[in-house]
Amino acid sequence: MQLIWPWQDRSRRFSWLKAGTLAVMFVPAIWLIEQVAAGEFGPVPLGGMTYWSGFWATAILLAALAITPAATIFGWRRLIVVRRMIGVTALAYAIAHIIIYFALRFWNFAFIANEIATRLSLIVATVSTIGLVALGATSVDAAVRRMGAKGWRRLHSAVYLTAALAILHYLMSPGLFPDQFLLSGFFFWLTAWRVLDRRGQGTHAATLALLALAACLFTAAFEVGCIWAFRGYALTEIFSIYFTTILGIPPAWTVLALGLLIAAAAFAQQNLRRAPGGLDVPKLG
Ligand code: HEM
């Protein structure tokens, strides 16, 4: 048996798509090291490192979930070859996150065991981690062969539950951050898209535009509701933030912009294909 390197395709030829994706997977880690070296996380950087390693583990997991919609909507079937790599990278960041957390707690495993068993956020995190490890361990070709395509697909649909638990852990941690709602909004889009795709609506541009709107409304309502419930600000005060950029761009607008961009790109691509002289017209000669 000969090893296939992460930058090679199944026939062991160099793949630009896989090599490029692999390089991108290192960017958050390099950014994190650079932030620590520049002293951006203060004299004890482990707190900041725990937050950002957890953030990137969750964001990369969502990126793995985004591969199927991207491949389906834009007809880029080749993209599927990088899905496994992105999923395994999410697991690697989650493991790094847990190791950083151990260091944050001075490797005091009696304290760590007690904290993990008593804090609901960490119980949720542990279940999510077990899910990620199970998905990672069964992502190799031999496991796919042993489990059969159907059994493997059934197990791997649990990736949505694993991601939901990772987001719940993020939401239950102390502090309220816009990024929590941004990732929740993306997750709403991804889950709703899967439901729509099962009904044959996953590539329809008008449906995608409505999905963008629904995801935006969900994100806004969720953020406003949480700030109102946990911070006690008046609703009018919270809504006013949505029409300024003092605290950065509100997550709901980012979710809307990205969702509409996807809908517009799907519309342009589908109409270009159908138009005379468009992409699908065979060349003469
Ligand atoms: C046994 C597994 C895990 C443990 C013990 C753990 C522990 C922690 C701890 C202690 C924090 C700091 C905030 C707090 O005190 O609640 C944190 C934050 C975070 N974790 Fe985890 N984690 C685990 C697994 C995961 C996994 C699998 C993910 C995502 C895939 C994740 C994503 C995050 C995120 C996004 C944050 C930032 C939230 C914040 O600091 O406010 N964690 N985690």
Side-chain angles (χ1 to χ4, degrees):
M1 201 182 72
Q2 233 188 324
L3 192 73
I4 298 180
W5 293 102
W7 51 86
Q8 291 178 327
D9 61 20
R10 284 189 176 275
S11 49
R12 296 194 181 82
R13 274 190 312 240
F14 181 81
S15 159
W16 280 105
L17 178 60
K18 290 187 79 181
T21 308
L22 183 65
V24 170
M25 294 297 102
F26 282 98
V27 171
I30 295 168
W31 173 85
L32 201 57
I33 293 167
E34 200 222 303
Q35 295 291 304
V36 174
E40 291 291 329
F41 297 151
V44 187
L46 288 170
M49 288 170 76
T50 307
Y51 178 90
W52 284 107
S53 56
F55 171 83
W56 284 113
T58 314
I60 294 171
L61 188 57
L62 296 192
L65 292 185
I67 293 297
T68 303
T72 311
I73 296 169
F74 303 115
W76 295 335
R77 289 277 145 207
R78 267 167 49 76
L79 262 189
I80 297 295
V81 299
V82 296
R83 190 173 49 184
R84 174 163 45 181
M85 183 195 293
I86 300 176
V88 172
T89 306
L91 172 62
Y93 276 84
I95 292 171
H97 169 69
I98 295 166
I99 295 171
I100 294 167
Y101 158 71
F102 288 167
L104 183 73
R105 298 290 185 256
F106 303 106
W107 308 96
N108 181 342
F109 287 105
F111 181 87
I112 290 168
N114 180 56
E115 191 176 27
I116 288 182
T118 52
R119 276 186 56 194
L120 190 56
S121 158
L122 301 194
I123 295 171
V124 169
T126 307
V127 180
S128 169
T129 308
I130 293 169
L132 267 181
V133 171
L135 296 175
T138 53
S139 69
V140 290
D141 286 345
V144 184
R145 272 195 300 274
R146 211 173 318 120
M147 295 174 71
K150 220 169 162 191
W152 186 87
R153 227 174 291 134
R154 204 175 310 130
L155 174 72
H156 277 247
S157 62
V159 66
Y160 280 87
L161 181 63
T162 306
L165 291 173
I167 289 178
L168 188 60
H169 162 55
Y170 190 6
L171 289 165
M172 289 173 86
S173 300
L176 226 45
F177 310 103
D179 290 340
Q180 288 166 318
F181 303 103
L182 184 68
L183 295 194
S184 302
F186 287 152
F187 185 63
F188 175 94
W189 188 99
L190 289 163
T191 318
W193 179 85
R194 200 172 162 90
V195 175
L196 290 172
D197 191 52
R198 286 228 173 105
R199 295 178 179 191
Q201 292 282 309
T203 54
H204 195 245
T207 309
L208 290 172
L210 285 175
L211 175 58
L213 199 62
C216 164
L217 290 175
F218 164 82
T219 313
F222 190 36
E223 185 176 21
V224 168
C226 285
I227 298 176
W228 175 75
F230 298 113
R231 289 287 180 271
Y233 288 104
L235 282 177
T236 45
E237 213 175 324
I238 308 168
F239 273 119
S240 67
I241 292 173
Y242 264 76
F243 300 96
T244 70
T245 48
I246 340 166
L247 298 176
I249 298 171
W253 295 145
T254 310
V255 170
L256 180 67
L258 200 64
L260 287 180
L261 201 68
I262 293 169
F267 179 81
Q269 202 218 28
Q270 286 156 15
N271 284 281
L272 263 178
R273 282 192 168 197
R274 270 187 235 116
L279 296 177
D280 269 357
V281 178
K283 286 190 188 113
L284 290 172

